[in-house]
Every structure is written in C-alpha cells, then in structure tokens.
Amino acid sequence: MDVIDGRRLRGDESRRTVLERAMDVASVHGLGGLSLGTLAADVGASKSGVAALFGSKERLQVAVVQAAREVFLETVIEPARSQPRGLPRLAALVMRWLAYSKNRVFTGGCFFLAAATEFDSKPGVIRDAIAEQLDEWDGYLVATIGYAMRQGELPLLDDAEQLAFELRALEEQANSRSLLRGGGDEPYRRARRATTDRLLSLGADPTVLEASGLVPAPAG
C-alpha cells in the first residue's frame, strides 16, 4: 500500500508540474499548440510518461482548462469573497480580475480569453469545456450584480446581465490592448475609470468604490 500511495503521490505531483507548464504555454501559443513531447522536455520527463498521465492530447487540453479554472478561482473569486456581498464584492471582482490579467498570472494574459478566441468557432469537447468555465464566471458576476441591485446599491440598474456584459467587455479590451502593447498599466487604468464611471452612473456609493481601489480617494 505504501508503494502504491508513493506512486500516486509522484503521479499527482508530475501531473501538477505538467499542467502548470501547459497552462502558461497555452496562454501564449494556444491549446492547439500544446505538444506532449515539448511539455515532457520542458519539465524534464519522458514523452511516454506525460502521455501516460493524460492518455491523449485532447484529454490534456481538457485538464489544462480545468486547471486554469482552479487558478482563476484562487486568484480572482476566492479573494473577492472576503468582501461583503453586493457592491463591495462586485468592485473586488473587477479589481482582482484586472490584477489577474495585468500581473500576468499567465504569460499570455487571461487564459480563458485566449482559449475562447482560439476555439469559439471550433465545436467539440474543448470548446464545450471553455464555454462551461466562462458561463460559470458570467453566472457568478451576474449573481453578484443582482444581489447589489436587490440591496439597493445600484438603484438605477434594471438589467444585471447588461452590466455584466459591459464589465466583461472592458476587461477583455484591457487584456487585449495590454498584450498588444507589451504591457503597461494604461489599458487597466482606463478600464478601472470606465467601470467606475458606469457604476457611479447607476447610483453606486463612491466611498465603496474608493475603498475597493477602483477610484483613488480624494486628496486631503
């Protein structure tokens, strides 16, 4: 039993190592650019060993999508949950997402934006896996906005899905512009400003937005 458990632990560690490298490679070169042989060389393993961990390239790709979901939860969702539900959590989600992209958790920026662009017109298991994760994020964002509406924190908003769409568009534009221009804070600063302006136009409390970092506190 100790031998079996030891092998399982080594297998789990090898799998994590390969997935970490694969996520970063896929964020730049796409899921389609993943190669069992190249990944094996990158992590100092044999191609047959990596193949044994996943079985096929498609199963590797699905596993990479699932691993990227876990990173997104740990980096964006879980930290934002430390804030009260409603507007404070919504502002935290925006700030955490922008930091996730700006700080290059993955070299290629947001993993899921890159993957969605690659597979949006390619039906199949991989596109379904990506869409499922994006739908999960969308659902959480809409639910958070909806709670803020019910709390009276966005009194001029009547459509949570519309606001979620607008916030996602700002995030995607910031991610894309930053990548195209080799980094820098400017696209993220503009996304924060546009988000702040939109939330204020819907009746959001400016002190909540200041506390989140979306807008700097007034001088003095």
Side-chain angles (χ1 to χ4, degrees), residues 52 55 87 106 144 186 195 198:
L87 183 60
F106 297 114
T144 301
E186 180 68 8
T195 298
R198 183 65 175 124

Side-chain angles (χ1 to χ4, degrees), residues 174-216:
N175 183 80
S176 175
R177 286 299 180 94
S178 178
L179 289 169
L180 283 171
R181 294 176 178 175
D185 185 58
E186 180 68 8
Y188 300 102
R189 185 187 66 79
R190 291 192 177 279
R192 289 195 301 272
R193 177 180 174 180
T195 298
T196 298
D197 289 348
R198 183 65 175 124
L199 293 176
L200 289 175
S201 77
L202 295 170
D205 183 346
T207 62
V208 174
L209 305 186
E210 290 167 9
S212 74
L214 268 175
V215 58

Side-chain angles (χ1 to χ4, degrees), residues 109-129:
C110 177
F111 174 92
F112 287 103
L113 292 183
T117 300
E118 182 184 4
F119 280 89
D120 57 6
S121 60
K122 300 176 183 178
V125 173
I126 310 304
R127 187 177 76 170
D128 291 346

